[in-house]
Amino acid sequence: MNDTPGALAGRRCLITGAASGIGAAIAVAYAREGAVVALADRDEPGLARTLAALPGAEEHTRHVVDLTDPEAVTATVEAVVESHGRIDVLVNCAGILDETPLVEMSLDTWQRMIDVDLTSVFLVCRAVVPRMLAAGGGRVVNVASQLGQKGGAGLTHYCAAKAGVIGFTKALAREVSAKGVLVNAIAPGPISTPLIDGLSARWRREKEAELPLGRFGLAEEVAPTAVLLASDPGGNLYTGQTLGPNSGDVMA
Ligand SMILES: NC(=O)c1ccc[n+]([C@@H]2O[C@H](COP(=O)([O-])OP(=O)(O)OC[C@H]3O[C@@H](n4cnc5c(N)ncnc54)[C@H](O)[C@@H]3O)[C@@H](O)[C@H]2O)c1
């Protein structure tokens, strides 16, 4: 039992994409706020690194899973519940990104993006939300992207998936909020993580010049928004919202 005082003291939290970048930063921030976290990702060494960075590491768990595999998702959620008793907070943060112009995009490239960045959110929510409803409440935080709001050249698949996450979030919020499950999205702007390493230098230069803050964010600057949405009373009035730690890229 983690009895560290903090905004998330004692909360049982499942975080996907926790091996790297924003998901890893959210895991660290949650654990610092007293949460017990279950880390899920397909990257086993990355999961071990995140676990080692968490305070109170003995009570946290890691789960290697390909989130596009429906049976593996179900088995992982069952394993998390077996280890921690329940899931109070779910953060869907796993994702991929690549730059491909529409005219060159194969159906496989499109489908892979939709599977990882959108369908995985559906699969994990489908496995976790019924348990939250049965328990009388919970919090879901879906990591979308500001590109799902404004679009981006060469990123039709990514933008479609992330706009899908925002729409999914609003619909699920309307479905379950009255039963105590609050569902929100975070749509970060460009954040310096391994995800954007593959994008062209030209994209990075142009992108930075466009931002009102003039710089990319850090994963540690996104994590506090995920803490807010999971916390009581700070997150109590948010549902169906898309919060934008985005260096001013999109002004909603
Ligand atoms: N970095 C940015 O600029 C940025 C901006 C907006 C939104 N986002 C979103 O934030 C989330 C996290 O991105 P990040 O920048 O931390 O990237 P990252 O590459 O550092 O982390 C993504 C993680 O997702 C995991 N993952 C990918 N496919 C998976 C699968 N099929 N099964 C299990 N795990 C899988 C990876 O192993 C990795 O650990 C993503 O959803 C991304 O789209 C990132």
Side-chain angles (χ1 to χ4, degrees), residues 18-33:
S20 176
I22 297 169
I26 291 173
V28 170
Y30 275 24
R32 281 193 186 137
E33 292 295 342

Side-chain angles (χ1 to χ4, degrees), residues 104-114:
E104 292 166 20
M105 193 177 300
S106 68
L107 180 57
D108 281 352
T109 299
W110 168 269
Q111 194 59 54
R112 176 80 189 143
M113 183 65 73
I114 299 298

Side-chain angles (χ1 to χ4, degrees), residues 17 19-22 41-43 65-68 93-96 112 116 143-145 158 162 188-191 193-196:
S20 176
I22 297 169
D41 204 291
R42 63 180 175 185
D43 171 3
V65 57
D66 178 351
L67 294 159
T68 64
C93 194
I96 55 171
R112 176 80 189 143
V116 177
V143 179
S145 167
Y158 184 77
K162 293 302 189 178
I191 307 298
T193 72
L195 187 88
I196 60 172

Side-chain angles (χ1 to χ4, degrees), residues 32-202:
R32 281 193 186 137
E33 292 295 342
V36 178
V37 298
L39 312 171
D41 204 291
R42 63 180 175 185
D43 171 3
E44 192 164 11
L47 282 176
R49 279 194 299 276
T50 304
L51 190 67
L54 300 179
E58 68 286 352
E59 53 195 346
H60 310 300
T61 56
R62 61 186 155 117
H63 307 264
V64 181
V65 57
D66 178 351
L67 294 159
T68 64
D69 176 343
E71 286 168 13
V73 168
T74 304
T76 297
V77 169
E78 282 168 4
V80 171
V81 172
E82 198 173 315
S83 295
H84 300 293
R86 62 182 196 273
I87 298 170
D88 302 312
V89 180
L90 164 64
V91 179
N92 284 303
C93 194
I96 55 171
L97 173 64
D98 71 79
E99 218 178 350
T100 311
L102 177 78
V103 293
E104 292 166 20
M105 193 177 300
S106 68
L107 180 57
D108 281 352
T109 299
W110 168 269
Q111 194 59 54
R112 176 80 189 143
M113 183 65 73
I114 299 298
D115 287 349
V116 177
D117 282 25
L118 178 57
T119 306
S120 74
V121 176
F122 157 70
L123 290 173
V124 184
C125 283
R126 190 180 61 168
V128 171
V129 170
R131 295 171 191 274
M132 290 179 170
L133 291 170
R139 302 281 171 97
V140 178
V141 179
N142 295 324
V143 179
S145 167
Q146 105 286 11
L147 290 166
Q149 298 169 310
K150 66 178 288 195
L155 299 170
T156 52
H157 52 348
Y158 184 77
C159 295
K162 293 302 189 178
V165 170
I166 292 170
F168 175 92
T169 299
K170 291 177 182 175
L172 185 58
R174 290 192 184 279
E175 203 168 306
V176 298
S177 294
K179 294 171 188 149
V181 180
L182 307 189
V183 188
N184 291 288
I186 299 176
I191 307 298
S192 295
T193 72
L195 187 88
I196 60 172
D197 285 351
L199 296 179
S200 60
R202 184 172 156 221

Side-chain angles (χ1 to χ4, degrees), residues 149 242 244 246 248-252:
Q149 298 169 310
T242 301
N246 64 18
D249 198 16
V250 170
M251 298 189 183

